[in-house]
Amino acid sequence: MTGWQTLFYKEVLRFWKVGFQTVAAPVITAILYLMIFGHVLEDRVQVYDSVSYTAFLLPGLVMMSVLQNAFANSSSSLVQSKIMGSLVFLLLTPLSHRAWFVAYVGSSIVRGLAVGLGVMAVTWWFAQPSMVAPLWILVFGFMGAALLGALGLIAGLWAEKFDQMAAFQNFIIVPMTFLSGVFYSIHSLPEFWQKVSHLNPFFYMIDGFRYGFFGVSDVSPWISLALVGGALAIVSAIALHLLKTGYKIRH
């Protein structure tokens, strides 16, 4: 295997060794969300015509799980390597910054999609949303996992201890995820909060992903694709620059 493939394999093996914690636990959390919100709001909320609230909720939970776990994979791996002192062994290798990026973000995509597939498989018997446009599901699932994997890479480079990484996740990632339309359509919000939601890139990832199931979305999937693609390009460029300069790992 080449250098990036070896590092990629190591990162995939790292989270797979503790699969109950990194894959099974998020699936169980998503089931609890679905059972609670689906039971309470099933007969009270109607988002799209002919689409039950539980069916509407399922794609949002899948994408939320993908995003949160893709971020957690790259960020926790880097911070753990810093604290344990094992990062120096990677610095001794001739791997380029591009190889680091591909390996860390690639493994984050694998973990995010693995969790997403697990959530979809386990919750499928609660509701069976149709897949009107499967290609959109794949595109937004992949791009969302890549974007959060790259963002996790930035957070992991910045953070020097676990509580800093936890603060990044608890005060940025989790709020942006929960306020992105996972549990509701933004059209049910007051006008001010609708405008605020349109500033949240997570909204476009989840809305575009949901379009693949129902063929209906709050904004055009092409707009979502353009904005998510632009965000992915910007975040990836920043992560590559930080890796190239050795930000907080070489100095």
Side-chain angles (χ1 to χ4, degrees):
M1 290 189 291
T2 60
W4 75 265
Q5 290 174 325
T6 304
L7 182 56
F8 170 78
Y9 176 74
K10 172 255 184 188
E11 286 299 308
V12 171
L13 195 63
R14 182 191 65 84
F15 80 77
W16 195 253
K17 282 285 187 178
V18 287
F20 189 80
Q21 174 186 344
T22 57
V23 178
V27 172
I28 295 173
T29 301
I31 293 173
L32 293 175
Y33 279 129
L34 184 64
M35 292 177 65
I36 294 170
F37 282 91
H39 175 73
V40 172
L41 300 176
E42 175 65 30
D43 298 325
R44 302 183 182 183
V45 177
Q46 181 73 33
V47 183
Y48 301 140
D49 293 337
S50 71
V51 177
S52 67
Y53 178 74
T54 301
F56 168 85
L57 185 59
L58 197 151
L61 289 176
V62 171
M63 193 59 169
M64 181 181 74
S65 302
V66 170
L67 300 179
Q68 291 183 346
N69 285 276
F71 174 85
N73 191 73
S74 53
S75 60
S76 62
S77 178
L78 270 175
V79 173
Q80 186 178 31
S81 297
K82 285 182 180 181
I83 294 174
M84 295 179 63
S86 59
L87 191 63
V88 66
F89 298 111
L90 281 178
L91 294 173
L92 292 173
T93 66
L95 292 175
S96 68
H97 62 284
R98 294 183 184 87
W100 281 50
F101 178 83
V102 171
Y104 278 103
V105 175
S107 62
S108 297
I109 294 172
V110 171
R111 176 175 167 181
L113 295 182
V115 174
L117 287 173
V119 171
M120 185 177 293
V122 175
T123 58
W124 196 258
W125 71 280
F126 286 92
Q128 294 79 38
S130 58
M131 294 187 182
V132 175
L135 184 59
W136 285 106
I137 296 174
L138 294 174
V139 168
F140 279 101
F142 181 86
M143 291 180 64
L147 175 55
L148 268 292
L151 190 60
L153 195 56
I154 295 173
L157 290 170
W158 167 77
E160 297 177 350
K161 44 189 177 180
F162 281 112
D163 57 348
Q164 289 179 327
M165 184 192 72
F168 195 102
Q169 185 162 10
N170 292 333
F171 292 104
I172 298 178
I173 301 301
V174 172
M176 291 181 71
T177 304
F178 274 81
L179 298 175
S180 60
V182 172
F183 302 101
Y184 55 86
S185 168
I186 65 167
H187 291 306
S188 63
L189 299 176
E191 184 178 354
F192 172 78
W193 290 108
Q194 288 187 36
K195 294 179 180 178
V196 172
S197 296
H198 281 92
L199 300 176
N200 183 0
F202 286 44
F203 159 71
Y204 298 99
M205 288 184 270
I206 291 176
D207 195 57
F209 185 75
R210 187 174 275 134
Y211 175 84
F213 287 88
F214 306 119
V216 181
S217 57
D218 291 330
V219 299
S220 168
W222 293 103
I223 294 176
S224 297
L225 181 65
L227 292 173
V228 173
L232 175 59
I234 293 171
V235 172
S236 297
I238 294 172
L240 282 166
H241 175 72
L242 295 178
L243 286 171
K244 185 177 182 180
T245 58
Y247 177 72
K248 286 196 174 184
I249 56 176
R250 292 180 183 171
H251 306 289

